[in-house]
């Protein structure tokens, strides 16, 4: 969990668990060769008691000679504003604050004080909510930059440690409030199960979580392999190959969909079993072009043999209108330098191969009406694909080529008025193609800034 020389932010509420965690880490500081920094969030939920908690933590840190940071906030207002429970809101605010300190002080880890009983409570909470395997694994001892050194220690041992060390830690009376489901599990359900079914219920639940953690790890490697085989992410859009997806076991299908969503938005916390089942039914039965809306701004659109999964906000950014006058000759920088269009006019005799490809186009310069522009599509755009018999609406061309709607607004076009000369990455217009009578050639090269030379 901790490597020599690392800086650790220690989340301290002032209760027995976090006070013991700080005391233990302080006693091991020299052996670990670690720097400790204390962080406390005053949630604004228990009036003067909450303020006194903060004072207790500051005093404890100062006695140990440690830096301490305190954040005062109004968790109930934040929860109401964002449609969250107070528990969810408090967790978001705490970890955001801890990571701010990490960034400011150049820290490596965030240590928090979850214990063995917390883990058992979490597992039962997930069982009652109908969780999958991820939930039954419970709290992980290490998750990203978060470490939980006391996770295998029972609460009773932690309280005994505090008493032996003479720590007069704070008590949060909201932990006794039965209106919170977690509190009811701790105060009523676990004692009932212990008295009537299994006196070692906490140990049994945690042992189960350790077994399932190994199973979960194996399945995760299977999902990662399936992801590499059947999914690619392009411009924040995940493209899932349906035949590959259907070849997977349903257990892997569900996990793969959650994995895709977590890749796009960082987590899949707001996606429940019902939403995954909706997405699976949509992949199985949805019509081409049909859209599915899921929570957390997630959208899916079905193609012939592919499903496009994306965040709606990302597509809105991609589809913002843009238009740039092309410098001929010269370089035109597109979308704040995300792409470059290079142009020059050369003699036809200097070209040995003037067939267009996805990033280079050759046009008869005398058939092009200047100025020309690079832009995305507009109503009324018309296009005469090379080799065709006549013009068609650009929208019809996109439909014929089975280009998903989510991509259409972001595809760069070379245009003169409403005449499309080149759909970059797809097709050149017949109106400006190079033929036997061509003398001067306009060469255009489109390159995104991430492309290799």
């Amino acid at each position: 969990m901790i490597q020599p020389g690392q800086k650790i932010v220690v989340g301290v509420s002032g209760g027995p668990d976090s006070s013991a965690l700080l005391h233990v880490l302080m006693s091991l500081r020299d052996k670990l060769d670690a720097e400790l920094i204390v962080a406390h969030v005053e949630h604004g939920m228990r009036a003067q008691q909450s303020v006194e908690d903060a004072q207790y933590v500051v005093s404890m840190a100062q006695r140990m000679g440690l830096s301490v940071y305190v954040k005062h906030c109004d968790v109930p207002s934040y929860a109401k504003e964002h449609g969250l429970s107070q528990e969810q809101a408090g967790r978001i605010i705490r970890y955001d604050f801890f990571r701010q300190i990490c960034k400011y002080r150049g820290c490596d880890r965030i240590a928090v004080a979850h214990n063995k009983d917390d883990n058992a409570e979490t597992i039962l909470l997930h069982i009652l909510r109908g969780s999958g395997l991820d939930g039954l694994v419970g709290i992980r001892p290490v998750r990203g930059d978060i470490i939980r050194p006391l996770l295998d220690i029972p609460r009773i041992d932690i309280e005994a440690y505090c008493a032996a060390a003479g720590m007069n830690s704070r008590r949060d009376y909201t932990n006794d409030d039965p209106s919170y489901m977690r509190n009811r599990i701790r105060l009523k359900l676990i004692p009932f199960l212990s008295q009537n079914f299994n006196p070692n219920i906490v140990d049994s639940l945690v042992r189960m979580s350790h077994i399932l953690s190994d199973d979960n790890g194996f399945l995760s490697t299977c999902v990662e392999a399936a992801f590499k085989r059947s999914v690619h992410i392009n411009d924040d859009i995940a493209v899932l190959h349906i035949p590959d997806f259907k070849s997977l076991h349903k257990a892997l299908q569900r996990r793969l969909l959650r994995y895709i969503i977590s890749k796009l938005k960082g987590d899949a916390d707001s996606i429940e079993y019902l939403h995954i089942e909706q997405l699976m039914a949509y992949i199985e039965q949805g019509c081409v072009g049909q859209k599915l809306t899921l929570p957390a701004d997630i959208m899916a659109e079905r193609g012939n043999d592919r499903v496009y999964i994306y965040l709606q906000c990302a597509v809105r950014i991609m589809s913002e209108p843009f238009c740039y006058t092309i410098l001929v000759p010269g370089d035109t920088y597109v979308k704040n330098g995300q792409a470059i269009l290079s142009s020059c006019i050369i003699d036809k005799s200097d070209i040995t191969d003037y067939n267009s490809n996805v990033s280079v186009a050759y046009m008869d310069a005398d058939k092009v009406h200047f100025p020309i522009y690079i832009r995305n599509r507009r109503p009324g755009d018309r296009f005469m694909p090379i080799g065709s018999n006549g013009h068609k609406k650009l929208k019809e061309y996109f439909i014929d080529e089975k280009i998903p709607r989510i991509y259409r607004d972001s595809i760069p076009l070379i245009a003169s008025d409403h005449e499309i000369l080149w759909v970059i990455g797809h097709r050149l217009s017949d109106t400006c193609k190079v033929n036997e009578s061509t003398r001067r050639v306009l060469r255009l090269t489109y390159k995104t800034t991430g492309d290799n030379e």
Side-chain angles (χ1 to χ4, degrees):
M1 291 187 178
I2 299 173
Q3 300 300 317
Q6 288 187 329
K7 294 182 181 180
I8 314 298
V9 172
V10 187
V12 183
S13 68
D17 298 337
S18 61
S19 297
L21 173 64
L22 181 60
H23 192 276
V24 167
L25 292 178
M26 187 65 187
S27 68
L28 295 172
R29 181 177 61 170
D30 292 341
K31 183 177 181 180
L32 294 172
D33 186 25
E35 181 179 343
L36 305 179
I37 297 164
V38 178
H40 174 82
V41 175
E42 191 271 294
H43 295 95
M45 295 173 61
R46 294 184 294 115
Q48 183 60 27
Q49 287 192 352
S50 186
V51 174
E52 290 172 358
D53 288 349
Q55 293 171 345
Y56 171 83
V57 172
V58 170
S59 176
M60 180 167 55
Q62 289 176 342
R63 286 198 308 272
M64 295 178 175
L66 302 176
S67 299
V68 56
Y69 296 85
V70 177
K71 179 181 179 67
H72 298 273
C73 59
D74 185 349
V75 167
S77 296
Y78 183 94
K80 184 177 181 180
E81 180 183 352
H82 293 86
L84 303 169
S85 69
Q86 291 188 7
E87 186 179 18
Q88 290 172 320
R91 183 166 57 249
I92 290 170
I93 290 172
R94 280 196 303 277
Y95 285 110
D96 282 351
F97 179 54
F98 296 161
R99 289 195 170 97
Q100 286 174 14
I101 299 171
C102 274
K103 184 176 181 180
Y104 176 64
R105 293 293 301 267
C107 297
D108 306 281
R109 295 284 188 269
I110 298 167
V112 291
H114 293 101
N115 60 48
K116 193 173 193 176
D117 296 76
D118 292 327
N119 200 6
E121 293 161 14
T122 298
I123 294 165
L124 281 173
L125 184 65
H126 290 167
I127 290 173
L128 294 173
R129 289 175 175 171
S131 172
L133 193 56
D134 278 333
L136 299 184
V137 167
I139 303 173
R140 292 168 174 80
V142 178
R143 187 167 188 174
D145 56 354
I146 305 295
I147 60 173
R148 298 178 171 91
L150 303 185
L151 192 60
D152 282 335
I153 311 300
R155 183 176 291 124
I156 190 171
D157 288 356
I158 292 173
E159 291 174 349
Y161 179 91
C162 289
M167 287 186 286
N168 187 25
S169 53
R170 301 287 297 174
R171 178 168 178 80
D172 184 351
Y173 70 82
T174 61
N175 289 333
D176 299 323
D177 183 354
S179 64
Y180 295 102
M181 188 173 182
R182 179 180 287 274
N183 289 352
R184 294 198 300 275
I185 290 172
R186 181 176 67 256
L187 300 172
K188 296 183 178 182
L189 181 56
I190 289 182
F192 178 81
L193 293 173
S194 179
Q195 293 167 14
N196 294 279
F197 294 93
N198 182 353
N200 299 312
I201 184 63
V202 169
D203 290 338
S204 296
L205 287 168
V206 170
R207 184 170 61 251
M208 177 193 74
S209 77
H210 291 165
I211 295 169
L212 294 181
S213 179
D214 291 338
D215 296 345
N216 196 52
F218 170 73
L219 288 172
S220 294
T221 60
C222 296
V223 169
E224 289 171 4
F227 180 85
K228 291 178 181 177
R229 184 171 60 251
S230 57
V231 182
H232 73 270
I233 293 182
N234 180 28
D235 290 331
D236 295 323
I237 298 172
V239 185
L240 171 63
H241 189 241
I242 294 175
D244 285 345
F245 180 78
K246 288 184 176 181
S247 71
L248 300 174
H249 190 282
K250 283 192 178 297
L252 285 179
Q253 289 180 350
R254 293 188 182 96
R255 285 174 155 272
L256 179 58
L257 294 177
R258 291 188 68 86
Y259 187 78
I260 291 170
I261 291 169
S262 67
K263 281 283 189 182
L264 293 173
K265 66 181 290 288
D267 60 66
D269 293 347
S270 56
I271 301 301
E272 300 176 0
Y273 172 81
L274 171 65
H275 306 131
I276 296 297
E277 292 302 297
Q278 287 177 337
L279 187 50
M280 288 181 65
Y282 168 80
I283 293 171
E284 183 68 34
Q285 304 167 5
C287 300
V288 174
Q290 181 183 359
K291 290 186 177 181
L292 175 68
T293 302
L294 295 173
D297 203 36
I298 297 164
M299 300 287 293
E301 182 177 334
R302 202 182 193 285
N304 280 335
D305 61 352
R306 288 171 172 78
V307 169
Y308 304 87
I309 303 172
Y310 54 93
L311 300 181
Q312 206 167 2
C313 59
V315 173
R316 282 196 294 268
I317 294 172
M318 287 169 53
S319 62
E320 290 177 355
F322 64 91
C323 181
Y324 303 87
T325 302
I326 296 173
L327 299 175
V328 182
D331 293 333
T332 304
Y333 292 85
V334 182
K335 294 185 177 181
N336 297 320
Q338 294 179 25
I340 302 173
L341 184 77
S342 301
S343 69
C344 62
I345 295 179
I346 54 181
D347 192 271
K348 181 185 175 183
S349 60
D350 294 332
I351 304 173
T352 57
D353 180 8
Y354 52 83
N355 291 322
S356 300
N357 61 37
V358 294
S359 60
V360 180
Y362 296 93
M363 305 178 189
D364 188 322
D366 296 312
K367 295 177 182 176
V368 174
H369 300 286
F370 294 95
I372 56 175
Y373 309 90
I374 180 168
R375 60 172 175 81
N376 52 356
R377 66 172 178 164
R378 295 176 180 174
D381 279 341
R382 293 170 60 79
F383 184 47
M384 186 176 179
I386 195 165
S388 64
N389 296 323
H391 284 82
K392 62 170 62 178
K393 291 182 179 178
L394 182 62
K395 178 181 178 180
E396 294 174 352
Y397 169 76
F398 284 155
I399 293 172
D400 292 343
E401 294 295 308
K402 298 181 175 56
I403 297 173
R405 283 181 293 183
I406 50 174
Y407 287 123
R408 295 174 192 172
D409 285 332
S410 62
I411 293 175
L413 311 169
I414 303 300
S416 174
D417 297 324
H418 287 298
E419 175 70 32
I420 304 303
L421 305 178
W422 182 26
V423 179
I424 296 179
H426 296 273
R427 196 80 66 85
L428 189 70
S429 171
D430 199 82
T431 61
C432 59
K433 69 179 180 182
V434 175
N435 56 26
E436 293 78 6
S437 62
T438 300
R439 292 180 300 164
R440 298 188 310 140
V441 174
L442 171 64
R443 183 174 66 193
L444 300 175
T445 303
Y446 181 80
K447 182 168 61 176
T448 61
T449 51
D451 289 344
N452 294 323
E453 293 292 339

